[in-house]
């Protein structure tokens, strides 16, 4: 029997449709013969918690650390127990398994962990799905790989999860217990990726807080030549400039302005060169997240969820969790079909598609730069864009525009550099004159193809749209001069876009020479698939706070980063580990060696801190001082007025009253407690009879959230009724 294992039911449905497997059974699809398609619900197996190894480890204390299992144990998720039983029975009958999960580390682990748990010993093959439209699935089925090729992906996934477990379980317990002894009664989450990410934001916040503005001055002049006028900026002599070339001597700048106002000058340099600019490459996940954060203010998690919906629900785009912006040469044959699909999907976009030349060579097609997954591009499938949410359509629209732009001519322009001499003083101007728009006709403005982030530094001498024609040696007149008083600005707070960029290019933020040499911009903090979750996790745990479009570290974050040793918060160390995981995935390193190193490192760290624990928690210790102001925002209980505490439960965050006599709970709304609608205000649940509460949510296919009555017994009872606003009668 041939068994296909997919990652999710939707993926299984799409694959089965192409395989013409249509008969349904409990937990799988079959053709009545020897072909079956089944599915997981993501990871069905989880690493055991410490108390599963030893019940004594349920309580947190320093004496029990370090925790390092000799044999790693997993358990089946309660929510997936029924499906696991189905898969295990099917694996017992299968002679050949086709792994058809997402083609990455985690996808490989989802399937192979089930096979290992079920002790499957038969043949294994790999279906390398890159998109879920019919054409892409057929291409994957025509290019099935031997299972041995992708085993290293499984080893890398296991190494990642076990290393994260070791660091998280040991360091979170260690520093939480120390902080509690020093009087801080909150759980501290320490992680391999989340902690260095939070440390980046803390460091930026400190740089901003400690920044002292310094004045500088920009002298601009209006220059007239025979064919027109333009503005030029004074070239500051080196002895009057700071390390950024800015003038710091106001009196001298004022004197220059007075000297040149109304005087004759000469065009000492006038150099014009033609230039070409190729279309921006298609997106990978990180660049898509950064683009959407700048243009629309979407969070990284929102973009990941939206891109996943385009891939899974709408079949409109290819696999989103990719780190490559390039395409394989073999996909050139699909260009015409993809462009045709875009025209059939949206007639209003067909004019731009019609202008594309499928035969045009694009730098995006480069086998050497394609990783496990290629760039995110549209599929040939015709899709119903009218049912997409606003976010989904915005992402789809930019993905299709960046793809179609590959088949347009380059943007052509003339770039001019001008230098004006007035006595001993020099003034510079730059201009950029468009000649042929090329791929730029795809976009309504430059901000669409390259949006700017808030806080990006502005050029003091930007390129002007058009400079008048002039030649070297031509006479000129300086008609006026203007001196602008300015101040140096601190580095901007991180935004979602700039933090993602920092995580991706972490070598720029690494100061340790040995790590800088190792990384050389080749490894990042986390992976494209996990960075959004890392940022959101830092927000959920109270380490980061969103303020409009910027991210700020909380007092809790600053306190934690203060007490942690450099090795735990070093982005260089974490990125170097990620690089080792990539080597394991490529078959260039061994999982066992990596785990021995991580285990030894964790044990050494724990032992060192345990030795100094008494000293670290004394009255005048650094820990007590660090957490003195880290109490966070407190809110009174709506019932009794006692303090509320934000708690993460199995269904998300909620707030719990800290009074033993009250113990009331309230839902969480963007990090704040929300008073419940009184149960008596709602109808009784038609399914179980309990009182219903007013809730809000977005129905499938809808773009806006609406209110509805939901059962107060959720999630055990999922009863719901439509909400109708009560009309108030006129007096």
């Amino acid at each position: 029997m041939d068994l296909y294992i997919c990652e999710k039911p939707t993926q299984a449905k799409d694959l089965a449709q192409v395989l013409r497997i249509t008969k349904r059974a409990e937990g799988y699809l079959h053709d009545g013969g020897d072909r079956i398609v089944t599915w997981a619900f993501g990871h069905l197996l989880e690493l055991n918690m410490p108390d599963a190894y030893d019940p004594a480890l349920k309580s947190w204390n320093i004496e029990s650390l370090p925790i390092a299992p000799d044999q790693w144990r997993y358990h089946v998720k309660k929510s997936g127990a029924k499906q696991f039983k189905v898969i295990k029975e099917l694996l017992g009958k299968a002679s050949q398994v086709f792994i058809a999960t997402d083609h990455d580390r985690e996808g490989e682990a989802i399937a192979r962990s089930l096979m290992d748990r079920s002790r499957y010993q038969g043949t294994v093959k790999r279906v390398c799905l890159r998109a879920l439209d019919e054409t892409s699935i057929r291409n994957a089925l025509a290019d099935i790989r031997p299972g041995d090729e992708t085993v290293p992906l499984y080893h890398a996934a296991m190494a990642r999860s076990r290393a994260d477990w070791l660091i998280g379980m040991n360091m979170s317990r260690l520093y939480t217990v120390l902080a509690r002894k020093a009087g801080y009664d909150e759980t501290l989450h320490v992680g391999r990726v989340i902690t260095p990410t939070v440390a980046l934001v803390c460091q930026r916040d400190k740089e901003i807080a400690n920044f002292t503005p310094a004045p500088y001055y920009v002298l601009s002049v209006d220059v007239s030549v025979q064919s027109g006028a333009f503005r030029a900026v004074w070239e500051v002599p080196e002895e009057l400039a700071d390390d950024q070339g800015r003038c710091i001597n106001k009196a001298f700048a004022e004197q220059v302005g007075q000297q040149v106002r109304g005087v004759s000058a000469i065009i000492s340099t006038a150099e014009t060169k033609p230039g070409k600019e190729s279309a921006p490459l298609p997106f990978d996940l990180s660049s898509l997240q950064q683009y959407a954060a700048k243009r629309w203010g979407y969070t990284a998690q929102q973009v990941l969820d939206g891109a996943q919906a385009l891939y899974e629900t709408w079949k409109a785009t290819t696999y989103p969790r990719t780190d490559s912006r390039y395409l394989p040469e073999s996909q050139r044959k699909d260009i015409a079909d993809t462009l045709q699909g875009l025209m059939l999907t949206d007639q209003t976009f067909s004019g731009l598609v019609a202008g594309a030349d499928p035969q045009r060579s694009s730098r995006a097609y480069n086998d050497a730069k394609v990783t496990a997954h290629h760039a995110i591009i549209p599929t040939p499938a015709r899709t119903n864009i009218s049912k997409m949410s606003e976010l989904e359509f915005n992402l789809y629209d930019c993905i299709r525009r960046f793809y179609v732009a590959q088949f347009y001519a380059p943007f052509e322009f003339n770039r001019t550099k001008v230098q004006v001499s007035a006595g001993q003083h020099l003034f510079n101007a730059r201009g950029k004159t468009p000649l042929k728009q090329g791929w730029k006709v795809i976009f309504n403005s430059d901000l669409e193809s390259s949006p700017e982030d808030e806080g990006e530094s502005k050029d003091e001498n930007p390129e002007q749209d058009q400079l008048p024609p002039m030649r070297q040696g031509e006479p000129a007149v300086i008609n006026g001069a203007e001196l602008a008083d300015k101040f140096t600005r601190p580095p901007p707070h991180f935004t979602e876009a700039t933090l993602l960029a920092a995580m991706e290019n972490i070598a720029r933020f690494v100061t340790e020479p040995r790590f800088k040499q190792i990384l050389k911009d080749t490894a990042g903090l986390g992976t494209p698939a996990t960075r959004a979750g890392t940022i959101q996790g830092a927000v959920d745990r109270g380490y980061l706070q969103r303020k409009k479009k910027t991210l700020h570290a909380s007092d809790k974050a600053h306190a934690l980063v203060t007490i942690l040793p450099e090795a735990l918060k070093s982005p260089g160390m974490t990125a170097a580990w990620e690089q080792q995981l990539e080597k394991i995935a490529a078959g260039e390193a061994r999982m066992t060696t990596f785990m021995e190193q991580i285990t030894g490192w964790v044990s050494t760290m724990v032992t060192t801190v345990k030795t100094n624990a008494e000293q670290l928690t004394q009255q005048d210790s650094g820990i007590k001082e660090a957490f003195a102001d880290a109490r966070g925002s407190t809110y009174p209980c709506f019932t009794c007025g006692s303090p509320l505490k934000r708690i993460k439960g199995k269904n998300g965050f909620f707030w719990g009253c800290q009074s033993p006599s009250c113990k009331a709970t309230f839902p969480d709304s963007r990090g704040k407690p929300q008073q419940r609608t009184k149960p008596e205000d709602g109808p009784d649940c038609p399914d179980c009879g309990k009182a219903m509460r007013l809730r809000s949510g977005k129905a499938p296919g809808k773009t806006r959230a609406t209110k509805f009555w939901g059962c107060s017994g959720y999630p055990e009872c999922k009863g719901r009724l439509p909400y109708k606003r009560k009309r108030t009668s006129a007096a």
Side-chain angles (χ1 to χ4, degrees):
M1 182 186 80
D2 289 348
L3 177 64
Y4 294 80
I5 301 178
C6 294
E7 190 158 327
K8 297 178 181 177
T10 53
Q11 194 180 48
K13 179 183 174 184
D14 296 330
L15 177 63
Q17 188 173 355
V18 175
L19 290 170
R20 295 185 179 180
I21 296 175
T22 58
K23 295 183 179 180
R24 292 184 173 275
E26 189 66 40
Y28 63 93
L29 298 161
H30 65 100
D31 63 356
D34 59 355
R35 293 189 307 162
I36 291 177
V37 177
T38 189
W39 56 84
F41 297 102
H43 287 280
L44 292 184
L45 299 178
E46 289 181 328
L47 281 164
N48 282 354
M49 294 298 286
D51 56 284
Y53 295 91
D54 182 352
L57 294 176
K58 193 172 186 66
S59 62
W60 289 28
N61 58 74
I62 292 180
E63 290 70 28
S64 63
L65 302 177
I67 305 169
D70 293 327
Q71 295 291 325
W72 291 90
R73 300 178 194 171
Y74 295 78
H75 65 274
V76 179
K77 284 184 179 179
K78 188 176 180 181
S79 59
K82 184 177 179 182
Q83 187 63 15
F84 172 75
K85 184 178 180 181
V86 170
I87 295 172
K88 184 177 181 181
E89 290 179 359
L90 293 172
L91 283 168
K93 302 173 184 177
S95 57
Q96 188 168 222
V97 167
F98 293 84
I99 298 175
T101 52
D102 288 343
H103 185 207
D104 57 15
R105 292 191 326 211
E106 297 308 311
E108 196 76 16
I110 286 169
R112 289 193 182 269
S113 62
L114 296 171
M115 293 156 57
D116 281 356
R117 182 84 170 191
S118 304
R119 299 182 179 179
Y120 173 76
Q121 300 293 326
T123 304
V124 180
K125 294 186 177 180
R126 214 341 164 160
V127 182
C128 302
L129 293 173
R130 302 184 188 277
L132 296 179
D133 62 291
E134 183 177 343
T135 301
S136 299
I137 292 175
R138 290 191 183 281
N139 289 340
L141 291 172
D143 186 30
I144 291 175
R145 311 285 178 84
D148 292 346
E149 288 186 9
T150 55
V151 171
L153 290 174
Y154 178 38
H155 294 160
M158 284 196 296
R160 192 275 309 161
S161 63
R162 292 175 182 181
D164 286 352
W165 191 99
L166 281 172
I167 294 169
M169 294 298 171
N170 283 282
M171 299 306 173
S172 296
R173 289 179 176 224
L174 178 63
Y175 285 96
T176 295
V177 172
L178 288 176
R180 285 175 180 170
K181 287 184 177 181
Y184 184 75
D185 190 24
E186 278 196 32
T187 301
L188 299 177
H189 297 86
V190 180
R192 183 179 61 90
V193 178
I194 190 173
T195 301
T197 301
V198 170
L200 278 178
V201 182
C202 288
Q203 180 60 34
R204 176 62 58 87
D205 287 357
K206 283 183 179 179
E207 291 172 1
I208 295 169
N210 297 331
F211 181 81
T212 302
Y216 71 98
Y217 311 94
V218 178
L219 177 63
S220 303
V221 296
D222 295 319
V223 184
S224 294
V225 292
Q226 185 175 359
S227 57
F230 61 96
R231 175 155 280 211
V233 175
W234 179 42
E235 184 177 302
V236 184
E238 188 174 335
E239 63 272 15
L240 302 172
D242 63 10
D243 57 358
Q244 299 295 313
R246 297 172 297 213
C247 176
I248 54 176
N249 189 320
K250 183 177 183 180
F252 193 92
E254 287 176 331
Q255 184 180 350
V256 172
Q258 293 170 357
Q259 290 175 354
V260 302
R261 191 176 286 112
V263 305
S264 297
I266 191 169
I267 304 300
S268 54
T269 301
E271 185 180 78
T272 298
K273 293 182 178 180
K276 291 183 178 181
E277 186 178 323
S278 297
L281 291 166
F283 292 108
D284 62 2
L285 179 57
S286 290
S287 59
L288 180 63
Q289 288 170 323
Q290 292 169 48
Y291 176 96
K294 291 179 180 182
R295 188 168 174 198
W296 298 294
Y298 296 153
T299 67
Q301 190 63 49
Q302 286 175 321
V303 176
L304 176 56
D305 293 343
Q308 197 72 25
L310 291 176
Y311 166 67
E312 287 184 2
T313 306
W314 305 113
K315 318 294 186 289
T317 58
T318 56
Y319 183 72
R321 298 169 186 254
T322 173
D323 61 354
S324 174
R325 299 189 69 175
Y326 292 87
L327 300 165
E329 292 284 347
S330 61
Q331 283 210 344
R332 287 187 183 275
K333 68 180 187 305
D334 300 328
I335 294 172
D337 288 341
T338 302
L339 294 177
Q340 178 71 11
L342 291 174
M343 295 179 75
L344 293 174
T345 291
D346 186 0
Q347 293 298 314
T348 64
F349 191 67
S350 59
L352 293 176
V353 178
D357 178 7
Q359 302 304 315
R360 178 171 293 280
S361 177
S362 166
R363 64 191 176 113
Y365 289 90
N366 188 334
D367 285 339
K369 295 188 176 182
V370 175
T371 55
H373 297 283
H374 59 67
I376 306 170
I377 61 172
T379 66
R382 182 176 181 177
T383 192
N384 189 346
I385 60 175
S386 65
K387 291 187 177 181
M388 292 180 182
S389 68
E390 180 182 1
L391 181 148
E392 290 166 352
F393 176 76
N394 284 341
L395 296 180
Y396 174 68
D397 185 50
C398 66
I399 290 169
R400 67 179 178 177
R401 288 179 190 271
F402 273 56
Y403 176 75
V404 172
Q406 305 307 309
F407 312 109
Y408 271 74
F411 166 53
E412 297 183 24
F413 54 88
N414 278 337
R415 178 167 273 141
T416 303
K417 291 183 179 180
V418 175
Q419 189 172 73
V420 183
S421 299
Q424 61 180 350
H425 305 301
L426 301 176
F427 300 87
N428 298 312
R430 300 182 299 147
K432 189 175 183 180
T433 306
L435 300 176
K436 295 181 180 179
Q437 287 295 102
W439 59 267
K440 289 212 170 206
V441 301
I442 297 289
F443 304 95
N444 296 318
S445 69
D446 285 346
L447 288 179
E448 276 194 16
S449 58
S450 183
E452 293 180 355
D453 196 17
E454 284 188 4
E456 287 187 344
S457 59
K458 303 296 182 183
D459 193 342
E460 301 291 358
N461 187 17
E463 285 186 330
Q464 299 171 47
D465 290 338
Q466 195 160 348
L467 291 173
M470 66 192 91
R471 66 184 187 280
Q472 186 174 335
E474 181 178 342
V477 176
I478 296 179
N479 296 318
E482 179 184 359
L483 184 65
D485 291 12
K486 300 201 173 187
F487 284 90
T488 55
R489 293 188 296 178
H493 283 287
F494 276 117
T495 64
E496 199 100 7
T498 56
L499 184 55
L500 283 167
M503 295 172 75
E504 184 179 16
N505 303 292
I506 197 62
R508 300 174 187 173
F509 298 85
V510 172
T511 56
E512 307 101 318
R514 62 192 180 108
F515 288 136
K516 209 168 185 70
Q517 181 64 30
I518 292 171
L519 299 176
K520 293 181 180 178
D521 287 332
T522 59
L525 198 53
T527 67
T530 61
R531 287 173 192 141
T534 297
I535 295 173
Q536 187 59 49
V539 172
D540 290 342
R541 290 182 169 95
Y543 291 128
L544 300 183
Q545 299 166 342
R546 289 192 175 99
K547 297 182 180 180
K548 294 184 178 179
K549 290 186 177 181
T550 58
L551 291 166
H552 300 247
S554 65
D555 291 340
K556 176 181 177 181
H558 282 289
L560 176 63
V561 169
T562 298
I563 68 170
L564 289 179
E566 190 60 36
L568 274 175
K569 57 190 179 186
S570 165
M573 175 75 82
T574 304
W577 283 337
E578 193 63 51
Q579 194 175 63
Q580 284 298 110
L581 293 173
E582 288 299 317
K583 288 183 178 180
I584 295 171
E588 299 170 2
R590 292 175 58 83
M591 178 184 73
T592 52
T593 303
F594 175 78
M595 290 307 304
E596 286 171 1
Q597 292 172 346
I598 293 288
T599 303
W601 182 86
V602 168
S603 297
T604 300
M605 289 286 294
V606 170
T607 302
T608 301
V609 175
K610 281 175 64 175
T611 303
N612 300 290
E614 192 67 34
Q615 180 182 349
L616 290 170
T617 55
Q618 288 177 357
Q619 183 64 33
D620 57 348
S621 71
I623 292 181
K624 198 170 189 70
E625 182 180 343
F627 284 98
D629 299 321
R631 292 294 176 265
S633 299
T634 58
Y635 299 93
C637 175
F638 296 111
T639 303
C640 71
S642 300
L644 291 174
K645 183 178 180 180
R646 193 167 184 251
I647 303 167
K648 187 173 184 180
K650 63 178 182 180
N651 296 314
F653 284 95
F654 67 94
W655 292 80
C657 180
Q658 298 304 287
S659 170
S661 61
C662 179
K663 295 185 178 180
T665 61
F666 303 95
D668 177 77
S669 177
R670 298 184 179 182
K672 296 180 180 179
Q674 186 178 38
Q675 192 165 9
R676 297 183 188 277
T677 302
K678 293 181 180 179
E680 57 265 28
D681 289 346
D684 292 337
C685 176
D687 295 337
C688 71
K690 289 184 178 179
M692 304 192 85
R693 294 186 177 128
L694 191 60
R695 306 182 188 276
S696 64
K698 191 184 296 181
K702 300 295 183 181
T703 58
R704 293 184 179 180
T706 56
K707 292 182 178 180
F708 64 92
W709 292 108
C711 182
S712 59
Y714 181 87
E716 286 74 21
C717 177
K718 298 180 180 179
R720 56 189 294 165
L721 289 172
Y723 169 75
K724 293 182 180 180
R725 188 184 299 275
K726 294 180 180 179
R727 297 183 181 273
T728 56
S729 57

